[in-house]
Amino acid sequence: MVRSGEEPKPAGRATDGTGPARLRERFLQGEQVDAGVRTSILNSWQRCRSLGLSPDTSDLPYREDFDPGGRIVRAAVPVLDRLQDAFSGSQVNISVADANGTVLLRRFGDPAMARSLPAIQRVPGFVFAEQVAGTNGIGLALAERQLIRVYGAEHFAERSQGSACVAMPVRDPLSGRIEGVLCFGYPRGFEQPALSAAIRRAAENIERRLLGQSSAHERALLRTYLTTGGEGGLRHGVALDALADVVHPRDQAILREKAAELISRGQRAAVEVTLPDGRLVTLVSRPMASSSGVRGFAIEAVLPGTAVGEALVLPYQAEELPDLAAFSTAPRTARPPITLPSGHLAAAFGATVAPGGDRGPAEAGGTVPADGGRGGDRGPTGIDGTVTADGGAVTADGGGGSADGGRGTSDGARSATGDGRGPVGGGGTADDRAASPFPARGLVMVGEPHVGAYALAARRRLELLSEASTRIGTTLDVRRTAEELAETAVPRLADFVTIDLPDAVLRGEEAADPLADLRRTVLHGVREGLPFTPPGKRIDFGPTAPQLRCLTRGEAVLEPDLKAAAGWLAQDPEHTVRLLDHVHSLIAVPLLARGVVLGIASFYRTGSSFGDDDRSLAQELAARAALSIDNARRYTHERTMVLALQRRLLPHGLPDQDAVEVAHRYLPAESDVGGDWYDVIPLSGARVGLLVGDVVGHGMLSAATMGRLRTAARSFAELDFSPDEVLTHLDNLVGRLDREDPDGKGAGVIGATCLYVVYDPTAQRCLMARAGHPPPALVHPDGTVSYPDLPAGPPLGLGGLPFDAVEIDVPEGSQLVLYTDGLIEDRHRDVDVVLEQLRAALAHPERAPEDTCQAVLDTVAPVHPHDDIALLVARVHALDPGRIAAWELPADPALVGEVRASAMRRLSDWGLDETAFAAELILSELITNAVRHGTGPIRVRLLYGRTLICEVSDASNTAPHLRRAASTDEGGRGLFLVAQLSQSWGTRYLPEGKVIWAECGLDAA
């Protein structure tokens, strides 16, 4: 068995009034003691103080009703005799206590010690449980459930200050339950390192003897079954291996599992088991007792057949536990001898056991009378406490022979001797069997109920762990993972589970002080209405609470009886007293993963107490859940950072412009954040650019790459490149980014997509191009929805392939809907169907863009998106023709003044007299430059919107450049004046020629 080691902290013996002795005095005076005392000792002192124990009290409870011949005593006596010889002449005293701390045995290295010691240290019957005796070896070993050392002043009682001891719990190897405590006591100066090894070996020897007792019980039950046969007409029949042709090995396993469950119930019962092929087999459970008093149950299978007689009718299921007394009325027939084959389990037992218990000689393969079976002193033992013919549990499968040693069928076709004419294995002749209402039956299993219950519990614990591996951690959500732990544990381990996590963990961070910000995260149980702290509330545990102790020790803490748990009662007396009406036992487990404290899981039972196996199971469940919670926490942390970066790199607010009314949405994927983005870019000439893109992949790299591409796309757009030129420049950039990857192991950007639309409100036309991106949707004012026929273009990064731009008319009031593929592409949906759904959702032109965004996400977007979704809805507006003024003139300097005068009159009509001065200078300079350096015809246009835009175009591709004129230069200062008088200015190229534009504020003077 695997045992916990001792605490690594120094022992700190009490010497010369220093160390624990002085710290103990400080503790008793009410001072704070943190360092210098081992955690287990300090916790025990705190519990003793909570219980109101006095260190100078010398009286201990004495029990006269202790069992001097119990299991633990019978197993320990030979071991203690050997220990007494080993410590002969020393001052070591050896004691064995039961699971309640009552001393059952005493031994002394020096017999004279028995005369010099007080009665409580030499007479069995005194109780050393911690709640009555304070901190001591026996009591603390039961409380901590592991090997414990206590030195001098570490004892709570004054009487033990000069002593030391080492104590070790002794467990039943089958159940794991603590049966008692082995303790070595000695003077404080006798300390030897070998004592730990000696007590471990001695405890293991006692445990082996406990296992041997269980094996002897099970062998006695099998001998009794083979000797006495069935009672009340439930006679032995063929074993399951005799019906191998009709009972598949898979079916035999089903029957054995149900048989083990019946044994664990410990009651007479019958149950019908439905096999996978639809047949019914009845399992009958009946009590039996060996000649030595061992009580157990035998499980027999009644198999279906065509025998003459009334069929077995069982109107009840096992849960109702019917009495089978009715079957006892069937007369018992004489049973002839049964010849057992060589090597049969019963034949190997050695002596023949008569009903009275006498033994007689027998040979392997010999004949056993029907009223006498073969037994033996030794046999294999299974984990469920039953003996098997094949070395597992006591079953009558073909591994070692049948219960009666013979084979037979309901029609007597085969006899035990194989000639078809001899005695049948059913225990009688064919005629006898024909009179029996049971066509065939066989022994399935025998065993003790309490051992079977332990085996059943162990199997169910393994099943629960197997289930936990698939149920816990199905998502990367911290809260949901905690809920999965609670749902897995209730009701198969606990009746109620509470899980408390720090706020930092819920945010995806590490908690600097887990106890400072604990919050009730999950409360799950078999019913509601109990006075537990509800989810969402902060939790504060007292210094003696089991939850705090489990964090301090880093392992599960078991409180079998909360009514006796002083530390639990002391944390919040009013609240815990109300809980005691509903809960009885507690296991507090820390959620630890990779050295990070993630929280506390508390398992409660309302009726029975938890045991050590339950504590181990709870700790295993919590450890698995903690790893999943930590994975979810790390994912949450990374996702939060990526999402913050993503949102930081997306536009914050929308620019002021009159061309479109825009609404947008960004919806990250459930699993991870990708690289979807959108942008709205004001352009020259009152135009606006609409961008939507998607970077391949997810995570931090995709988000960072998205930011780079969005910045680059905006820069290219602000240079007044056409959509196809913008995509060409982005394509070159993506290829360069991939080539510049230093190790070539990056996620890569090739495969990114983009859609760029430029809307001109003066002409109500759109120019658009796409690079592997879904086309936009156009919602007309009459409600019709179309998807423009736009060449797809290759994804960005492939290089060398052209992009085509398409120009379409967009009537005023129409809506342009741009989106990424996460909206329409889903592995569970057909794209064409989704596009029709999108068409139906958009067929409401009266909606505002904000409402359109929400309607699309509500009706079209996947419920659990696996990819990011970026959505941009723009309702287009036309620029009032009354706010547009245009002139065309040849390249004649004489006409500049005439156009300038006409422009001033138009500005006056618009009420822009204060802007007229700056506009006049700008127009004069731009028109003059076009006449001198460009080619005709020359066009002049004024656009009156949020600002005043002055445009001068000509057929030349030569653009002016701003330069600083020297003091001796006569010219070169015109563009400098334009730059100073306007908010911005620039050049955009046309298919033929260029446009020089300048934008000035309406309050310019």
Side-chain angles (χ1 to χ4, degrees):
M1 299 180 66
V2 178
R3 302 184 182 280
S4 301
E6 300 177 37
E7 295 183 67
K9 295 184 178 180
R13 299 188 178 93
T15 57
D16 301 328
T18 61
R22 177 170 296 178
L23 293 172
R24 175 177 175 275
E25 295 303 321
R26 290 175 51 194
F27 175 82
L28 293 176
Q29 293 172 9
E31 297 182 27
Q32 186 71 22
V33 177
D34 293 325
V37 181
R38 289 182 293 152
T39 303
S40 59
I41 300 297
L42 181 58
N43 289 338
S44 180
W45 288 356
Q46 291 173 338
R47 292 194 295 270
C48 294
R49 183 167 59 184
S50 300
L51 291 167
L53 299 180
S54 174
D56 54 4
T57 301
S58 58
D59 295 333
L60 290 180
Y62 179 79
R63 296 183 55 183
E64 296 182 350
D65 59 345
F66 69 92
D67 185 4
R71 291 185 70 223
I72 185 69
V73 172
R74 295 196 305 273
V77 165
V79 178
L80 262 62
D81 290 341
R82 292 195 294 271
L83 288 173
Q84 186 175 19
D85 293 339
F87 290 109
S88 177
S90 70
Q91 296 296 302
V92 175
N93 69 86
I94 308 159
S95 57
V96 170
D98 63 15
N100 297 316
T102 304
V103 175
L104 306 177
L105 292 172
R106 288 283 192 183
R107 294 287 192 275
F108 303 95
D110 184 357
M113 295 175 62
R115 296 188 294 271
S116 61
L117 293 175
I120 59 174
Q121 295 185 14
R122 58 183 171 83
V123 179
F126 285 96
V127 181
F128 282 83
E130 185 186 64
Q131 56 265 35
V132 295
T135 307
N136 70 91
I138 292 175
L140 193 53
L142 289 173
E144 297 291 324
R145 312 177 82 82
Q146 62 180 341
L147 187 146
I148 286 294
R149 290 177 176 270
V150 183
Y151 300 93
E154 291 181 332
H155 290 87
F156 191 75
E158 295 286 353
R159 63 175 176 270
S160 303
Q161 299 299 292
S163 303
C165 61
V166 56
M168 181 81 177
V170 177
R171 289 179 167 84
D172 186 320
L174 287 177
S175 67
R177 183 181 62 185
I178 291 180
E179 293 287 334
V181 178
L182 176 64
C183 180
F184 294 169
Y186 46 89
R188 199 171 59 201
F190 181 78
E191 173 64 24
Q192 294 182 2
L195 288 177
S196 294
I199 199 169
R200 287 182 188 276
R201 288 194 301 269
E204 290 171 356
N205 288 335
I206 296 175
E207 290 172 350
R208 278 196 292 269
R209 292 184 59 82
L210 287 173
L211 179 62
Q213 292 181 20
S214 298
S215 302
H217 290 181
E218 293 141 10
R219 292 194 300 271
L221 289 174
L222 181 59
R223 285 197 301 271
T224 300
Y225 182 87
L226 295 173
T227 300
T228 62
E231 64 178 46
L234 294 178
R235 299 163 298 171
H236 293 301
V238 295
L240 290 182
D241 65 325
L243 297 178
D245 294 337
V246 293
V247 180
H248 191 274
R250 173 199 58 199
D251 301 336
Q252 297 182 35
I254 295 174
L255 295 177
R256 292 189 195 107
E257 182 176 353
K258 192 63 180 179
E261 183 177 345
L262 288 174
I263 289 177
S264 69
R265 295 184 179 188
Q267 296 186 20
R268 184 190 294 262
V271 65
E272 287 185 341
V273 180
T274 303
L275 299 179
D277 59 6
R279 290 183 301 166
L280 294 178
V281 174
T282 302
L283 294 182
V284 179
S285 167
R286 61 183 179 87
M288 54 190 300
S290 69
S291 58
S292 60
V294 179
R295 298 186 178 274
F297 279 79
I299 309 297
E300 291 180 328
V302 179
L303 307 180
T306 56
V308 178
E310 183 180 358
L312 176 64
V313 178
L314 295 171
Y316 304 103
Q317 293 299 308
E319 287 75 6
E320 303 178 39
L321 303 175
D323 189 353
L324 301 185
F327 298 119
S328 62
T329 58
R332 297 185 62 179
T333 58
R335 299 183 62 194
I338 301 173
T339 302
L340 300 179
S342 177
H344 190 278
L345 174 65
F349 281 152
T352 301
V353 184
D358 297 329
R359 296 179 179 270
E363 298 178 357
T367 300
V368 181
D371 60 350
R374 292 190 180 262
D377 337 308
R378 302 170 61 186
T381 304
I383 189 173
D384 58 358
T386 54
V387 184
T388 66
D390 58 355
V394 179
T395 74
D397 60 3
S402 62
D404 58 6
R407 296 178 177 268
T409 61
S410 59
D411 58 2
R414 291 185 63 186
S415 68
T417 57
D419 56 4
R421 293 175 287 107
V424 296
T429 64
D431 293 337
D432 292 333
R433 289 174 57 93
S436 172
F438 307 114
R441 67 172 44 81
L443 174 66
V444 179
M445 189 176 291
V446 297
E448 296 178 89
H450 70 279
V451 178
Y454 295 144
L456 187 63
R459 181 165 60 251
R460 288 177 176 173
R461 283 192 291 269
L462 290 175
E463 293 172 353
L464 182 59
L465 287 175
S466 176
E467 181 181 338
S469 63
T470 59
R471 289 189 60 182
I472 300 177
T474 59
T475 68
L476 286 172
D477 180 82
V478 173
R479 195 181 304 272
R480 179 57 194 151
T481 304
E483 291 173 352
E484 289 170 345
L485 168 61
E487 292 168 358
T488 302
V490 175
R492 297 168 65 177
L493 172 62
D495 297 315
F496 296 92
V497 175
T498 63
I499 299 177
D500 309 312
L501 303 178
D503 286 334
V505 172
L506 294 173
R507 295 192 304 266
E509 305 168 3
E510 292 188 14
D513 184 2
L515 292 177
D517 62 346
L518 271 180
R519 190 172 299 276
R520 177 61 45 84
T521 305
V522 175
L523 169 59
H524 184 67
V526 294
R527 64 180 184 274
E528 299 180 354
L530 267 66
F532 285 104
T533 302
K537 298 292 185 180
R538 296 188 62 83
I539 300 293
D540 294 315
F541 292 112
T544 60
Q547 287 84 354
L548 182 60
R549 286 160 47 206
C550 81
L551 281 184
T552 304
R553 292 164 48 177
E555 60 182 19
V557 171
L558 168 61
E559 292 290 358
D561 186 0
L562 287 176
K563 292 182 179 179
W568 188 78
L569 293 169
Q571 62 172 331
D572 186 353
E574 181 180 354
H575 180 244
T576 52
V577 167
R578 286 188 288 118
L579 266 181
L580 281 178
D581 294 335
H582 306 280
V583 297
H584 173 70
S585 188
L586 164 68
I587 300 176
V589 189
L591 296 173
L592 301 173
R594 304 180 181 98
V596 177
V597 177
L598 301 172
I600 302 171
S602 301
F603 301 83
Y604 295 88
R605 273 187 184 170
T606 58
S608 60
S609 297
F610 286 114
D612 281 295
D613 285 342
D614 298 317
R615 180 179 67 168
S616 300
L617 176 59
Q619 184 147 344
E620 178 67 21
L621 286 176
R624 298 188 181 195
L627 284 174
S628 297
I629 290 175
D630 190 48
N631 289 337
R633 179 193 66 81
R634 289 167 177 256
Y635 165 76
T636 301
H637 179 65
E638 181 178 347
R639 187 174 189 272
T640 301
M641 290 194 305
V642 175
L643 188 57
L645 175 63
Q646 172 85 344
R647 295 193 183 279
R648 183 66 180 169
L649 295 175
L650 289 173
H652 293 273
L654 297 175
D656 294 332
Q657 44 79 37
D658 295 322
V660 293
E661 177 188 354
V662 179
H664 55 85
R665 292 289 190 276
Y666 171 73
L667 185 65
E670 280 193 352
S671 58
D672 207 347
V673 179
D676 290 14
W677 52 280
Y678 59 88
D679 208 347
V680 179
I681 308 169
L683 301 175
S684 64
R687 299 170 307 143
V688 65
L690 305 175
L691 268 167
V692 170
D694 184 2
V695 176
V696 294
H698 297 84
M700 187 75 71
L701 179 60
S702 294
T705 303
M706 178 275 293
R708 300 173 72 178
L709 289 186
R710 173 179 171 258
T711 301
R714 188 179 188 91
S715 299
F716 296 143
E718 289 178 343
L719 290 174
D720 273 321
F721 291 140
S722 63
D724 54 321
E725 290 178 305
V726 169
L727 295 183
T728 299
H729 287 295
L730 285 178
D731 182 56
N732 295 333
L733 174 63
V734 168
R736 186 163 60 252
L737 291 177
D738 277 331
R739 290 193 299 272
E740 290 175 355
D741 188 356
D743 53 8
K745 297 180 181 179
V749 191
I750 292 179
T753 66
C754 184
L755 169 64
Y756 182 31
V757 177
V758 176
Y759 171 66
D760 187 350
T762 63
Q764 300 178 42
R765 294 181 66 82
C766 274
L767 185 64
M768 60 184 70
R770 61 179 177 137
H773 201 86
L778 177 59
V779 183
H780 294 271
D782 60 359
T784 59
V785 180
S786 63
Y787 299 100
D789 186 11
L790 181 62
L796 299 176
L798 296 183
L801 298 175
F803 299 94
D804 295 325
V806 172
E807 191 172 22
I808 61 173
D809 292 322
V810 182
E812 183 178 9
S814 300
Q815 289 187 358
L816 282 167
V817 181
L818 288 69
Y819 50 88
T820 55
D821 58 2
L823 177 68
I824 61 172
E825 293 184 6
D826 185 77
R827 56 190 173 190
H828 303 297
R829 304 186 300 173
D830 183 81
V831 174
D832 293 334
V833 174
V834 177
L835 288 176
E836 288 304 316
Q837 293 176 348
L838 178 59
R839 187 191 302 272
L842 295 177
H844 299 276
E846 73 282 358
R847 286 180 180 153
E850 284 289 344
D851 297 333
T852 300
C853 280
Q854 194 59 47
V856 169
L857 291 183
D858 291 342
T859 59
V860 182
V863 178
H864 303 286
H866 297 284
D867 195 6
D868 290 17
I869 297 175
L871 178 64
L872 190 66
V873 178
R875 170 171 286 164
V876 301
H877 300 294
L879 188 59
D880 185 357
R883 293 196 170 199
I884 303 174
W887 299 270
E888 184 172 340
L889 67 155
D892 184 356
L895 299 177
V896 174
E898 182 180 340
V899 173
R900 186 170 61 237
S902 298
M904 293 305 100
R905 287 193 297 270
R906 181 58 62 91
L907 292 179
S908 178
D909 294 341
W910 288 342
L912 302 178
D913 294 329
E914 293 185 359
T915 311
F917 176 74
E920 184 178 8
L921 290 178
I922 291 172
L923 283 175
S924 179
E925 178 61 31
L926 295 181
I927 296 174
T928 302
N929 279 345
V931 170
R932 287 182 178 180
H933 307 291
T935 58
I938 298 173
R939 296 179 178 86
V940 178
R941 188 169 68 161
L942 295 179
L943 304 177
Y944 173 28
R946 292 178 180 270
T947 61
L948 178 65
I949 301 173
C950 305
E951 295 183 344
V952 177
S953 62
D954 64 80
S956 172
N957 289 325
T958 302
H961 297 282
L962 180 66
R963 66 183 180 88
R964 182 177 297 277
S967 59
T968 58
D969 291 341
E970 295 183 359
R973 296 177 178 85
L975 285 180
F976 179 76
L977 290 175
V978 171
Q980 293 298 312
L981 292 173
S982 63
Q983 293 179 350
S984 60
W985 73 280
T987 303
R988 74 171 179 270
Y989 291 92
L990 304 174
E992 295 181 359
K994 65 180 182 299
V995 176
I996 309 298
W997 58 270
E999 184 176 342
C1000 46
L1002 298 183
D1003 57 350

